[in-house]
Amino acid sequence: MSETKPSVLFVCVHNAGRSQMAAAFLTHLGTDRVQVRSAGSAPASTVNPAVVEAMRESGIDISAEAPKILTTEAVQASDVVITMGCGDACPYFPGKRYLDWQLDDPAGQGVAAVRPIRDEIEQRVRGLLAELGIEPAA
């Protein structure tokens, strides 16, 4: 019997901050029990360095990540689509679960300003895992 993993897509405008942190936390805490994607409607050229540093403080290295363009295929392949300030840029498909997480944008902020955003994202990801019936990794 094959068991399918839930698939989650995190979307923000630049895919350089919030969606990268959320994807990293879900990958870290969900281990191999959830498929994780992130993308942006207008991707930046690199992940925000303050975000990389804030995640490093949490023990998660995202320095090798790169912003990715949002595709229709990524949305179609996902069970849950979580937007973070991308407005109407995210395509809508019936049968998908959509959530909109209102979070401050870390763009242009230093590490001190990114930390509370990072911590809020971690708590929301933990809540999402609980909703999906997945016990977070230690």
Side-chain angles (χ1 to χ4, degrees), residues 87-112:
D88 296 330
C90 191
Y92 177 83
F93 293 96
K96 304 292 176 196
R97 179 175 173 208
Y98 288 87
L99 300 171
D100 185 48
W101 289 359
Q102 298 293 318
L103 297 159
D104 290 336
D105 189 347
Q109 303 292 317
V111 176

Side-chain angles (χ1 to χ4, degrees), residues 22-111:
F25 275 123
L26 188 55
T27 298
H28 179 74
L29 297 169
T31 58
D32 62 350
R33 297 164 293 167
V34 62
Q35 186 177 33
V36 183
R37 296 179 181 86
S38 73
S41 54
S45 56
T46 61
V47 175
N48 180 333
V51 166
V52 172
E53 180 58 32
M55 291 303 290
R56 185 177 290 121
E57 292 175 358
S58 289
I60 301 173
D61 181 6
I62 63 169
S63 62
E65 295 299 325
K68 295 167 274 314
I69 187 73
L70 175 64
T71 64
T72 301
E73 293 78 20
V75 178
Q76 287 177 315
S78 301
D79 300 312
V80 181
V81 178
I82 299 175
T83 57
M84 304 170 181
C86 74
D88 296 330
C90 191
Y92 177 83
F93 293 96
K96 304 292 176 196
R97 179 175 173 208
Y98 288 87
L99 300 171
D100 185 48
W101 289 359
Q102 298 293 318
L103 297 159
D104 290 336
D105 189 347
Q109 303 292 317
V111 176

